[in-house]
Amino acid sequence: MICCQWYGQSENVTRQFLRKEGNTKIMERITGTVSRGLRAPIIKQGDDLKQIVVDTVLKAQEQQELTVRDRDILALTESILARAQGNYCSVDDIAADVAEKFGDATVGVIFPILSRNRFSIALKGFARGAKKMVIQLSYPSDEVGNHLVDMDALDDAGIDPYTDVLTEEAFVEKFGRPLHTFTGVDYVSYYKELVEAENCEVQIIFANKPTAVLEYTDCVLNCDIHTRVRTKRLLLKNGAKKVFGMDEIMRASVNGSGFNDQYGLLGSNKATEETLKLFPVNCREFVESVQQMILEKTGKHIEVMVYGDGAFKDPVGKIWELADPVVSPGYTDGLEGTPNELKLKYLADNQYAELTGEELKQAIKKSITEKDAQLKGKMASEGTTPRRLTDLIGSLADLTSGSGDKGTPFVYVQGYFDNYTD
């Protein structure tokens, strides 16, 4: 028996077949994990997002597009939560925070990522709050894999990116003004022009050692995301007088603005030419409330999470997607931890190499049923994905919802915690 249902623009085919066991016919399930994007209305500041999320799930169930079950996962984008919260700040707000922290000092802005969406408006605020700036770009790529120049070109030019510091003039002489593979933007010129438009003097250098900027200024705003703690430590150890990370800008409200008391400007996105949407706040309270509301409406205990960028790397563009400080800024308790799974092909090729057919199937099921509560270090788990559940599920949700016009900021995942025995 084959049943077909449409979910948005993708087709999910569920097949089941009958297996005889004695005189009893047992329905055996074929599908495993299913991820569905759920369409939602356009969310505006002040909307009751909790109710909208719950209503969307219940409506999908009423229309028989899904059936809510225990241990299902409901994920929603960080962007839509921040929008409902009205968690925005302006370029002027950023400028005021930077001016308060650095005064009239030349500000070294180091390791920014190359992104109009992620960084340009923040840079505009930094420039508006400073009089002079030195931008230190990492090369051949930024932290998340956006390339300024190909590594082979560095080899041909005899440049060692681990030690060599290049001025803008030296970089242009050797490599010209390369354009980003996907966006077609010359980020060096773009960032320079953006800063100068704010009447801020700017100098650009290329270096991968954090301390290279100290030859130009001892006041630094480090803009790296996942290496920010190490960068700050090295700068302070080597004589920097003032060091603030992007996670320390807009940690508190400026003139009534939004803020993020944990991540500051990290995780922010361009909203308009003068405003940024910040990473959402109070995520834990939000997901627990939605979880409770679903339980009250359906009697089912599901897990809920807020997700941003997934954590995966594009093999062609070489971009590592994760420009947010974390994949999930908030999730319910059932999503804590890492997978504890056996590798089926390992069992089939080693422990049960002599078995086939139903005998092999039952032996593997028995191994799964009797597996240790902690398989870390065991050969039978070799090759399973060593990542946190929230990173894996957030990446799945990010790929499902996309970042364009699909209109599915809610993702409903079923069967994620199932295994071969279910």
Side-chain angles (χ1 to χ4, degrees):
M1 177 178 67
I2 299 177
C3 303
C4 299
Q5 291 181 306
W6 284 91
Y7 300 107
Q9 296 179 353
S10 63
E11 185 178 19
N12 173 57
V13 181
T14 302
R15 297 191 183 100
Q16 296 173 320
F17 67 86
L18 295 174
R19 173 168 59 86
K20 284 189 176 182
E21 194 165 291
N23 294 322
T24 304
K25 289 183 178 180
I26 299 174
M27 189 72 76
E28 186 165 337
R29 191 173 52 137
I30 298 301
T31 56
T33 301
V34 176
S35 177
R36 300 176 176 89
L38 301 183
R39 290 180 175 172
I42 304 300
I43 304 299
K44 293 288 189 178
Q45 180 176 344
D47 286 348
D48 186 350
L49 187 58
K50 295 175 187 176
Q51 193 62 55
I52 291 172
V53 173
V54 172
D55 289 346
T56 300
V57 172
L58 296 179
K59 185 176 180 180
Q61 179 165 256
E62 290 170 6
Q63 295 180 353
Q64 299 183 343
E65 294 183 359
L66 61 84
T67 299
V68 178
R69 301 194 297 251
D70 287 325
R71 298 217 77 191
D72 288 350
I73 304 166
L74 172 60
L76 66 144
T77 64
E78 59 81 19
S79 177
I80 206 166
L81 177 55
R83 196 181 312 152
Q85 293 174 340
N87 202 21
Y88 293 83
C89 70
S90 71
V91 171
D92 284 339
D93 297 329
I94 297 169
D97 202 359
V98 168
E100 189 274 329
K101 285 179 168 64
F102 290 101
D104 292 334
T106 297
V107 180
V109 174
I110 75 170
F111 300 154
I113 64 172
L114 306 175
S115 173
R116 292 167 296 177
N117 175 48
R118 288 287 191 172
F119 189 71
S120 65
I121 304 304
L123 179 60
K124 195 173 183 179
F126 302 161
R128 193 173 293 180
K131 293 182 178 180
K132 183 176 180 180
M133 182 180 295
V134 177
I135 300 177
Q136 178 179 324
L137 298 173
S138 55
Y139 73 102
S141 69
D142 69 9
E143 181 184 4
V144 297
N146 292 296
H147 273 65
L148 282 169
V149 62
D150 192 82
M151 182 64 91
D152 290 336
L154 297 185
D155 293 339
D156 292 342
I159 299 297
D160 184 348
Y162 299 102
T163 59
D164 293 344
V165 178
L166 303 177
T167 63
E168 181 184 0
E169 293 75 18
F171 182 89
V172 172
E173 180 183 348
K174 291 181 180 295
F175 308 113
R177 292 197 175 275
L179 304 180
H180 188 277
T181 303
F182 288 139
T183 66
V185 175
D186 169 7
Y187 277 99
V188 178
S189 297
Y190 176 59
Y191 281 178
K192 185 174 184 178
E193 292 166 5
L194 190 152
V195 172
E196 289 176 337
E198 296 297 327
N199 298 313
C200 179
E201 185 181 346
V202 61
Q203 183 175 1
I204 295 180
I205 63 171
F206 301 80
N208 292 309
K209 291 175 61 176
T211 53
V213 75
L214 297 180
E215 295 294 324
Y216 301 84
T217 179
D218 56 10
C219 296
V220 184
L221 174 52
N222 64 294
C223 302
D224 45 344
I225 305 162
H226 307 292
T227 55
R228 62 187 184 274
V229 174
R230 176 178 182 267
T231 295
K232 185 173 184 178
R233 174 175 57 80
L234 290 174
L235 288 167
L236 291 172
K237 181 180 178 181
N238 285 276
K241 290 183 179 178
K242 288 185 180 180
V243 183
F244 293 96
M246 277 185 68
D247 59 326
E248 296 173 288
I249 306 296
M250 300 307 303
R251 271 201 177 181
S253 179
V254 176
N255 298 320
S257 72
F259 64 96
N260 189 297
D261 58 357
Q262 184 175 6
Y263 297 115
L265 284 177
L266 292 182
S268 62
N269 295 86
K270 178 179 179 178
T272 71
E273 294 301 327
E274 286 289 320
T275 56
L276 270 177
K277 177 204 64 62
L278 300 170
F279 223 35
V281 295
N282 302 322
C283 296
R284 176 75 176 189
E285 182 275 331
F286 181 89
V287 296
E288 288 181 342
S289 294
V290 171
Q291 182 185 56
Q292 182 61 32
M293 291 169 71
I294 292 289
L295 179 63
E296 292 171 357
K297 293 289 185 179
T298 67
K300 303 298 181 181
H301 184 89
I302 70 169
E303 304 299 338
V304 185
M305 69 180 293
V306 177
Y307 69 94
D309 282 342
F312 46 81
K313 185 174 182 178
D314 177 75
V316 177
K318 303 176 184 178
I319 299 170
W320 183 36
E321 174 71 5
L322 187 55
D324 287 326
V326 290
V327 172
S328 177
Y331 52 89
T332 49
D333 289 339
L335 298 179
E336 188 65 60
T338 58
N340 190 54
E341 301 172 342
L342 295 171
K343 195 73 171 180
L344 297 192
K345 68 179 182 180
Y346 177 87
L347 296 177
D349 291 344
N350 291 273
Q351 190 170 339
Y352 303 123
E354 76 286 356
L355 302 180
T356 60
E358 187 65 24
E359 190 177 8
L360 172 61
K361 183 177 181 179
Q362 294 306 317
I364 287 179
K365 284 188 173 183
K366 186 173 185 293
S367 290
I368 294 172
T369 302
E370 297 175 354
K371 68 183 176 182
D372 293 340
Q374 178 53 261
L375 291 169
K376 185 177 181 179
K378 304 292 179 65
M379 286 300 294
S381 66
E382 181 185 23
T384 56
T385 307
R387 290 168 61 189
R388 297 188 306 174
L389 287 169
T390 51
D391 295 339
L392 290 164
I393 298 164
S395 298
L396 171 63
D398 188 26
L399 288 168
T400 300
S401 62
S403 58
D405 57 8
K406 287 184 173 62
T408 55
F410 312 145
V411 175
Y412 201 83
V413 181
Q414 295 188 293
Y416 192 85
F417 295 107
D418 291 354
N419 61 43
Y420 192 55
T421 67
D422 295 313

